[in-house]
Amino acid sequence: MKYEAVIGLEVHAQMATETKIFCGCSTKFGSEPNSQTCPVCIGMPGVLPVLNKKAVECAIKTGLAVHSNISAYSRFARKNYFYPDLPKGYQVSQYELPICEGGHIEIVIDGEVKKIGLTRIHMEEDAGKNIHEGGGPYSFVDLNRTGVPLMEIVSEPDIRTPAEAAAYMKKLRAILRYLEVCDGNMEQGSLRCDANVSVRPVGQKEFGVKVELKNINSFRFVEKALEYEIKRQIKTLEDGGKIAQETRLFDSSTGVTQSMRSKEEAHDYRYFPEPDLVPMVPSAGWLEEIRQSLIELPDAKRERFVSEYGLPEYDAEMLTTEKAVASWFEEAVSAGGQAKAVSNWMMGELTRMLNDENRSIENCPVKPEQLAGMLKLIDNGTISGKIAKTVFEEMYKTGKEAAAVVKEKGLVQISDEAAIEKAVDEVLAKSPNEIERFKAGDEKLMGFFVGQVMKATKGKANPQMLNELLKKKLQSS
Amino acid sequence: MKLNEMTITGLRKMLDKREIRPSEILDAVYARIEAVENKVQAYLITTKDEAYKSAKEAESAIMENRASLLTGIPVAVKDNMCTKGILTTCASKILYNFIPPYESTVTERMKTQHYLLTGKTNMDEFAMGSSTENSAYYPSKNPWDTGCVPGGSSGGSAAAVAADECIAALGSDTGGSIRQPASLCGVVGLKPTYGAVSRYGLVAFASSLDQIGPLTKTVEDTALLLKVIGGHDPKDSTSAPAEMTDFAGVIGQDIKGMRIGIPKEYFIGGLDSEVEASVKNAIKKLESLGAIPVEISLPHTEYAVATYYVIATSEASSNLARYDGVKYGFRRDGKDLLDMYMKTRAEGFGPEVKRRIMLGTFALSSGYYDAYYRKAQQVRTLLKNDFDKAFEQVDVIATPTAPTVAFRFGEKTTDPLQMYLSDIFTISINLAGVPAISLPCGFAVNGLPIGLQLIGKHFDEASVLKAAYAFEQSTEWHKRKPGL
């Protein structure tokens, strides 16, 4: 039997606010434990929360960007459970009336656009961190993270493959970063993902039994964890077993998911409306103000890159994932670079070089105009495409203009027919055997002759002219 | 008259004329505490050193003509309001050593005016109770008869005011915790409109019901103290955006033509006949002053107690989750985390608190939420609608504050439901969020005081105070003092 997976993702995104959601403490990452706390966020008796307007703005902005309905009336709820990193004994979250409902995110899979529906986006406060150190019969609690504002973005079960899940995560991250509502840093926990996974025979309408996967904290792990879990479920079914409704934890070191708790052990969080906060009723004026502040988002940009620059979906998707990359592309094109050529260079050489150094495009030593300048030299025949790679590497190393590199290194293409002819003649004179074989039908030797001439001219011979000359000479000799 | 027996208004005049110094008032107050506190046990701690320090600052303020309403006035504060650097226990073992590093908004506002904190008053643990018998430390006594309870949960504050161990006090009222002890101790107590006074720094019992308010010797003092502590606070999202009214212009206005609602549901079986007679006489008195009595109905009254004990306990079960032994307060070590939690909470909380945590936890549980919590919220809306409708017809509503005078220690401790019924006339007011005052309106044959409750519209403390003042000024009840 063939199976398909049904996946829904719950993504926690830390909102990019200066201060916590219910108090004035800093949200800075990596400070001395408990240095960013106050009576409110450590849950002392009698203190009260005051909602950070900036956090609500982040959530609304995100909702607008993913086509959600912004609720005219929404409120916070308390999620009750005991844990040392939860100082109040409850987490202030949203339950019955979240800030955003509905919406969708578009992903590109095999060059096709697919819409992944969203259930809701709600706001909540983060918990602190238990630290198990020192080996004694105790743990430490760091409450710096307590009260840091999060939004939880819950997708519909519209995802079918681990690759789609990864594409969804990447797109969501891109949108959040475009909006500057989340820095998208998975290592620091700014973006965390839980997944609901089930499998069913292809063609079956009903969903299979759902398993919740927790602790998926990088893009790589999203795919790995899902792949493992889907295989595990299919194997269980094929072996005649049943899937248990449970929560499983993904261990990134072993690549395996393990049962954390069963449905029976699930918490009863006893949600009820938070009486210390009043319901949120965003005014029409404020919503409009936020709407006006929205910039062009990845999907719109992708569509525009296809229609305006004639790029394939794939190129457009890749170039629009990061706002800075898209801007770099557009600057190169407006400096005269041909769009597809710019795209090729960016996705090829440039990305490789940046990745080698773990550098972001903002810190790229080559400026967009410089790439456009180099492409011009290829177009007008000053350098060959092959030499251009050498030129580009030098530009990347030194930050110099293409023309300067070409001049300094003497990399100007030889388009002087007499000079190329001379080199061809010399190579042919040295290769009587190869000529014999070529004439006998071994046409692969053409490459040998080209290579020899290129070697003699240090790669600078105009490839087109060289080819024509060689063909002519070989036929006539 | 001794200085400790005086009112805020009376002392204010003397202080401003520089006839007395703040420290002299303190001398009188602490002498009284010295003399009667072993009988009354109104305080959990007294703060004499801090009070005398504040008295010096108050005196400078008076000398430099910077005096405000409360400058140099000794006020007692219920032990569920956080006072920076001063022990705040909520009369619970679980907070036996808790010293807040922050000040509640109400005490902060009094501090700005250089009030003198006499001490922190006793209460039922976490404000859960009607007699102070649920204090983890000791019960307070009724100054009129020390064999009787002072009421609760703000019993310590009411007893301290009645016994002249302070000039005025703050209490908190979740289901009657200011008004019922005020009634039982023969003093004035007001629960303001929900949102009129900031809850910041008030240790939460039931967040949607809790309000801080004054306990004083006169209606005028209540108006004055309310003015100081009330008004918007950016630290409390549920506090109303408005400034507190200045009641100076309202106090003393006549009440001719004022319509006084008499809800028939409040004069029922279980209401003590002496209490009923006194309250009916009080209504006649108001009528003689020009008010018009109107019989009204608050049809959902019978559901108030049940509704209250679902909502209040639900919120309490969550509000009290933070007392887990991890961060502050009492901790009993255990063999693992869960064991520590269970031992800490089993030993740290008293029986009534645990009973309410369990009730609330149950009411919020999955599968019961709709039947209890959600249903209770719906009934709450009906109760609120009752009042809204009634106030289309009348300006204030008059009822007894409590069904009986002060009862004896131990009389109701074995039957929690009997104890819960002490608040039968006060609970609806918290559920509706409206303001209400209790003031003395007579005495039973056994010499124990009886209280009249006057209820107003949302944010119409002015009408309540106006009617209360008119009644008080035409009677002598408030002038009687207990013979301790």
Side-chain angles (χ1 to χ4, degrees), chain B residues 54-223:
Chain B
S54 307
K56 272 190 197 150
E57 291 162 22
E59 190 166 351
S60 311
I62 294 166
M63 297 318 262
E64 293 159 24
N65 294 315
R66 294 185 283 112
S68 319
L69 294 171
L70 278 191
T71 308
I73 306 291
V75 179
V77 172
K78 189 178 181 181
D79 204 31
N80 60 352
M81 287 166 231
C82 290
T83 40
K84 189 173 177 178
I86 295 168
L87 195 63
T88 300
T89 69
C90 259
S92 180
K93 183 175 173 186
I94 212 151
L95 285 174
Y96 77 106
N97 62 353
F98 182 66
I99 297 176
Y102 50 95
E103 188 80 30
S104 66
T105 295
V106 285
T107 50
E108 182 68 50
R109 286 181 178 175
M110 298 200 298
K111 250 183 151 170
T112 313
Q113 298 201 353
H114 304 291
Y115 89 119
L116 316 179
L117 172 67
T118 54
K120 304 295 290 286
T121 56
N122 193 24
M123 54 187 282
D124 288 292
E125 184 181 4
F126 282 103
M128 296 176 182
S130 309
S131 68
T132 70
E133 288 166 294
N134 296 332
S135 167
Y137 301 99
Y138 42 77
S140 298
K141 313 285 177 64
N142 194 314
W144 296 89
D145 178 348
T146 51
C148 289
V149 303
S153 64
S154 310
S157 286
V161 173
D164 291 317
E165 292 185 75
C166 62
I167 305 306
L170 290 187
S172 70
D173 189 318
T174 307
S177 281
I178 289 174
R179 292 158 288 154
Q180 186 258 14
S183 174
L184 269 49
C185 289
V187 299
V188 180
L190 177 115
K191 183 207 85 82
T193 307
Y194 185 79
V197 177
S198 169
R199 293 184 296 116
Y200 185 82
L202 169 69
V203 181
F205 159 18
S207 313
S208 75
L209 300 160
D210 297 341
Q211 266 297 282
I212 293 170
L215 286 132
T216 63
K217 296 168 190 175
T218 63
V219 172
E220 194 176 8
D221 276 7
T222 281

Side-chain angles (χ1 to χ4, degrees), chain B residues 394-473:
Chain B
V394 299
D395 302 303
V396 294
I397 296 170
T399 75
T401 306
T404 64
V405 293
F407 44 92
R408 305 203 74 76
F409 286 103
E411 202 178 316
K412 299 185 179 183
T413 42
T414 48
D415 186 351
L417 279 180
Q418 254 337 97
M419 187 71 94
Y420 293 174
L421 289 175
S422 310
D423 293 332
I424 188 162
F425 299 143
T426 46
I427 267 175
S428 306
I429 284 82
N430 297 77
L431 289 165
V434 292
I437 199 169
S438 177
L439 71 162
C441 72
F443 285 85
V445 179
N446 63 10
L448 289 171
I450 296 168
L452 165 72
Q453 176 170 245
L454 295 171
I455 310 160
K457 287 188 255 255
H458 286 103
F459 298 104
D460 190 16
E461 277 80 359
S463 293
V464 170
L465 289 166
K466 192 167 106 178
Y469 184 78
F471 176 80
E472 180 192 72
Q473 293 305 304

Side-chain angles (χ1 to χ4, degrees), chain B residues 167-365:
Chain B
I167 305 306
L170 290 187
S172 70
D173 189 318
T174 307
S177 281
I178 289 174
R179 292 158 288 154
Q180 186 258 14
S183 174
L184 269 49
C185 289
V187 299
V188 180
L190 177 115
K191 183 207 85 82
T193 307
Y194 185 79
V197 177
S198 169
R199 293 184 296 116
Y200 185 82
L202 169 69
V203 181
F205 159 18
S207 313
S208 75
L209 300 160
D210 297 341
Q211 266 297 282
I212 293 170
L215 286 132
T216 63
K217 296 168 190 175
T218 63
V219 172
E220 194 176 8
D221 276 7
T222 281
L224 206 142
L225 193 45
L226 178 61
K227 169 71 185 155
V228 176
I229 61 171
H232 180 66
D233 176 17
K235 288 182 187 161
D236 177 358
S237 311
T238 63
S239 88
E243 284 301 302
M244 184 51 72
T245 330
D246 192 337
F247 302 102
V250 177
I251 295 281
Q253 281 180 8
D254 78 52
I255 58 165
K256 276 202 185 75
M258 192 180 227
R259 296 162 303 167
I260 312 270
I262 322 293
K264 57 174 191 242
E265 291 82 2
Y266 282 63
F267 295 86
I268 43 156
L271 173 60
D272 179 274
S273 58
E274 283 184 281
V275 173
E276 182 169 7
S278 285
V279 171
K280 287 199 165 152
N281 278 336
I283 293 164
K284 279 196 194 116
K285 181 56 131 184
L286 288 166
E287 202 179 345
S288 75
L289 295 171
I292 306 159
V294 181
E295 184 157 321
I296 58 160
S297 172
L298 298 165
H300 297 94
T301 301
E302 62 171 308
Y303 305 111
V305 173
T307 302
Y308 174 85
Y309 278 96
V310 171
I311 293 173
T313 57
S314 294
E315 291 180 8
S317 73
S318 174
N319 282 332
L320 271 61
R322 68 190 62 194
Y323 310 110
D324 58 4
V326 173
K327 308 159 295 276
Y328 46 74
F330 174 79
R331 174 197 290 178
R332 176 70 68 217
D333 284 326
K335 63 178 182 341
D336 55 25
L337 179 66
L338 183 65
D339 195 39
M340 185 280 280
Y341 278 156
M342 298 210 291
K343 283 194 170 127
T344 297
R345 290 168 66 83
E347 290 180 41
F349 290 132
E352 181 59 26
V353 172
K354 280 187 273 194
R355 179 181 295 125
R356 296 197 192 191
I357 290 173
M358 285 189 279
L359 273 172
T361 303
F362 176 76
L364 290 175
S365 301

